[in-house]
Amino acid sequence: MSECQPKPSLEARAADDSRHGPFVYRDELGARLALAADEPKTVRTRLRLMGAVAALLEEGGLHDLRVADCAARAGLAHGTFYRYWPDRSAAARDVLGDFMATVRARRPVSAPGTALYPRIVAANRYYVRVYRANAGLMRCLMQLGNVEAEFARIGQEANLALAARVVRAWERADPALDLPPHERIARALACIAMVEGVLRDLYVRPALAPLASMGEDEVADMLSTAWFRILFGRDPPRRGRKAG
């Protein structure tokens, strides 16, 4: 690499290694740490602490997070934690914010010209796998959003941005779409909320016994069919046929 070229961030380097697709966030942080051998000690220490915070959030939830446990899990002195965050809430916000960004960065990229329905299926299969693999962190996202309005706002804005992308793809697939803009966004948001609600009840606080025996792809395909019906008012095309 030329000296005049900026060195890619650890996040970018980890993304290059694993490309796109489902991930376990603790493993993602471990991959970043493995790539950080030539980084300053402060960078490596922060990654160790982030990995510890992520593991404790996954296992015990937001409300059981303790600074002493974070430091011990990382194998560091208690005071080291405070060089990076003023308290456990700041650490949780930082780690969960990075987790959300990683979910977005790992989304599958469809080949040009891919029809809309296969793209919906691919996106939902990805999200179902990520959700199930990081169910504890997903629970923490809900917990933090319930107590911090700013964090809830960030999540709402992310959903709105995703809904806007869904609408743009929907409009390209159906140029004759005859719905006002606000209803288009509302339907896209309804699709997103449906997925989050089903996965929450299935993996975070299991309440959907009829779905307990369904595999990840079955759940994703069921949700994708519902998406298509909400957007287009009809069943999706059969496999092998071109979709809009």
Side-chain angles (χ1 to χ4, degrees):
M1 179 180 294
S2 171
E3 291 184 359
C4 64
Q5 293 178 315
K7 183 165 59 175
S9 68
L10 290 174
E11 292 84 350
R13 289 156 66 189
D16 286 343
D17 287 345
S18 60
R19 301 181 181 179
H20 298 275
F23 64 95
V24 176
Y25 183 60
R26 284 181 289 185
D27 294 344
E28 150 70 14
L29 291 175
R32 292 187 203 172
L33 183 59
L35 291 169
D38 58 346
E39 297 290 336
K41 183 179 179 181
T42 53
V43 173
R44 301 195 305 273
T45 300
R46 186 174 186 276
L47 284 169
R48 286 173 62 185
L49 283 167
M50 287 182 67
V53 172
L56 291 168
L57 287 173
E58 178 69 37
E59 295 165 8
L62 182 68
H63 304 306
D64 290 336
L65 189 67
R66 300 288 182 271
V67 170
D69 294 337
C70 296
R73 187 69 169 255
L76 298 166
H78 185 279
T80 303
F81 178 96
Y82 293 105
R83 298 176 186 172
Y84 299 87
W85 301 291
D87 52 39
R88 64 173 189 163
S89 295
R93 285 194 300 272
D94 197 3
V95 169
L96 291 173
D98 184 77
F99 170 61
M100 291 173 64
T102 305
V103 172
R104 293 192 292 271
R106 293 284 193 265
R107 285 176 182 151
V109 177
S110 299
T114 302
L116 180 57
Y117 182 62
R119 288 162 56 195
I120 292 173
V121 172
N124 279 327
R125 286 187 175 186
Y126 164 75
Y127 194 63
V128 168
R129 290 189 176 103
V130 169
Y131 202 112
R132 186 177 186 184
N134 302 277
L137 292 175
M138 292 296 186
R139 178 182 65 245
C140 291
L141 288 175
M142 291 186 296
Q143 292 173 336
L144 189 57
N146 287 337
V147 298
E148 293 200 9
E150 177 61 20
F151 199 84
R153 183 189 62 78
I154 293 172
Q156 290 169 340
E157 290 181 350
N159 280 347
L160 189 59
L162 175 57
R165 289 195 296 274
V166 170
V167 168
R168 289 194 294 271
W170 182 14
E171 291 169 341
R172 288 194 297 271
D174 186 4
L177 182 62
D178 186 21
L179 287 174
H182 67 273
E183 184 170 343
R184 300 179 191 191
I185 284 290
R187 287 199 189 192
L189 287 171
C191 290
I192 295 167
M194 175 187 63
V195 171
E196 292 180 345
V198 169
L199 298 187
R200 178 182 63 243
D201 286 341
L202 187 57
Y203 299 130
V204 173
R205 52 187 189 204
L208 300 181
L211 299 186
S213 62
M214 294 181 69
E216 293 172 343
D217 286 351
E218 289 181 280
V219 172
D221 292 352
M222 174 197 68
L223 293 169
S224 298
T225 297
W227 269 55
F228 198 88
R229 289 171 177 165
I230 290 170
L231 297 180
F232 292 94
R234 64 179 187 272
D235 285 340
R238 296 175 185 174
R239 186 170 297 179
R241 290 174 53 191
K242 292 184 178 180

